[in-house]
Amino acid sequence: MADLHIIRIDDAKALVRVGVPDPERATPQEVRISVVMALADPPDYPNADRIGATVDYDRIIFFIRDDLGEPAHLIETLADRVAGHCLSLSERARWVEVTVKKPSVLSGDGLVSVTIRREQR
């Protein structure tokens, strides 16, 4: 099996309009998004100590915070958007897992989350 470089971003906050009923989508809600992304063929980092040797994490964070697109009914849709963006960032991307947590769904303790995994085709 080839070596992999794993990038992890945990619980990045985003304000989005998401929910099945129209009133729920009327106001932005906080979601937390985590990403685990695998890049194939990592370079010898001491000799390739530049941003081009990896994925610019800021491009993932910016997308999560500022560019999730139109309102969505499902948090699965948000996860799929983030996954597609991450896979588009590098030809070395092999797979990505995205978890979206939506704390506002349950009353009291707990939250709802969904995780999707997409592979580079």
Side-chain angles (χ1 to χ4, degrees):
M1 185 168 137
D3 290 340
L4 293 175
H5 164 165
I6 304 295
I7 295 169
R8 180 182 305 275
I9 296 170
D10 291 316
D11 290 332
K13 294 179 187 177
L15 288 175
V16 295
R17 294 177 186 269
V18 62
V20 174
D22 291 338
E24 189 178 3
R25 284 190 317 280
T27 305
Q29 302 168 59
E30 182 181 289
V31 295
R32 297 195 176 225
I33 299 176
S34 298
V35 173
V36 180
M37 181 178 177
L39 300 178
D41 305 318
D44 176 19
Y45 286 109
N47 294 317
D49 189 26
R50 299 286 181 265
I51 193 70
T54 188
V55 168
D56 185 346
Y57 318 133
D58 280 343
R59 292 182 67 190
I60 298 171
I61 297 292
F62 176 82
F63 185 85
I64 289 170
R65 290 188 182 152
D66 299 320
D67 204 19
L68 274 174
E70 298 294 317
H73 287 99
L74 305 173
I75 58 175
E76 287 86 345
T77 301
L78 301 176
D80 194 63
R81 290 175 186 169
V82 173
H85 174 72
C86 289
L87 290 175
S88 76
L89 294 176
S90 174
E91 292 180 4
R92 291 177 39 225
R94 292 298 167 254
W95 55 262
V96 63
E97 288 183 0
V98 178
T99 300
V100 178
K101 299 175 186 174
K102 187 176 175 188
S104 65
V105 172
L106 301 178
S107 58
D109 292 337
L111 52 84
V112 171
S113 69
V114 63
T115 300
I116 65 164
R117 179 182 172 119
R118 297 287 184 262
E119 296 188 11
Q120 192 71 276
R121 299 200 189 278

